[in-house]
Amino acid sequence: MGKRPGSQNYTPQDGEALLTHGLQLVPVDKHGWQRVAERYNQEHARQAGRSERTGPSLKIKFRSLASSKCMYSAEWSRCVALARKLRERIERRVRGEWFAVPSGSGS
């Protein structure tokens, strides 16, 4: 299966938007990734004139960044670090170690 006609490659800004929403939502299943896609599309893709993405395509990009062993450009290095941070949070949540930070705690 190839890319959809008219789709765009990810930019570092797309990656950062994906990971920012991922860190806010910490998706652990397909429904969580769908919520990430909804936010990504509403708050980033549509506003920036970028291709809208599905939950599965965002999850694939996240996994690619989180498991990267190659050197990305300096623009992408922040995304790789954020992806690894998100991977750690997802793993903690799956193990039951995840807890919500009380609002107003300043953390």
Side-chain angles (χ1 to χ4, degrees), residues 17-31:
L18 151 63
L19 297 163
T20 298
H21 296 304
L23 285 164
Q24 292 169 352
L25 297 169
V26 191
V28 295
D29 59 17
K30 68 180 180 179
H31 302 290

Side-chain angles (χ1 to χ4, degrees), residues 10 15 18 56-66 72 76 83:
Y10 283 88
L18 151 63
S57 70
L58 292 174
K59 182 178 180 181
I60 289 167
K61 186 61 177 178
F62 152 70
R63 284 184 170 171
S64 171
L65 290 166
Y72 275 91
W76 279 102

Side-chain angles (χ1 to χ4, degrees), residues 4 6 10 12 19 24 27-29 31-33 37 39-40 48 50-52 57 67 70 76-78 93 95 98 101:
R4 289 181 179 169
Y10 283 88
L19 297 163
Q24 292 169 352
V28 295
D29 59 17
H31 302 290
W33 282 103
R39 250 196 220 176
Y40 172 90
R50 302 292 298 153
S51 292
E52 291 192 22
S57 70
S67 64
C70 66
W76 279 102
S77 62
R78 175 168 163 72
R93 187 171 186 186
R95 288 191 310 259
W98 183 259
V101 176

Side-chain angles (χ1 to χ4, degrees), residues 71-82:
M71 294 300 294
Y72 275 91
S73 68
E75 290 180 302
W76 279 102
S77 62
R78 175 168 163 72
C79 291
V80 171
L82 289 172

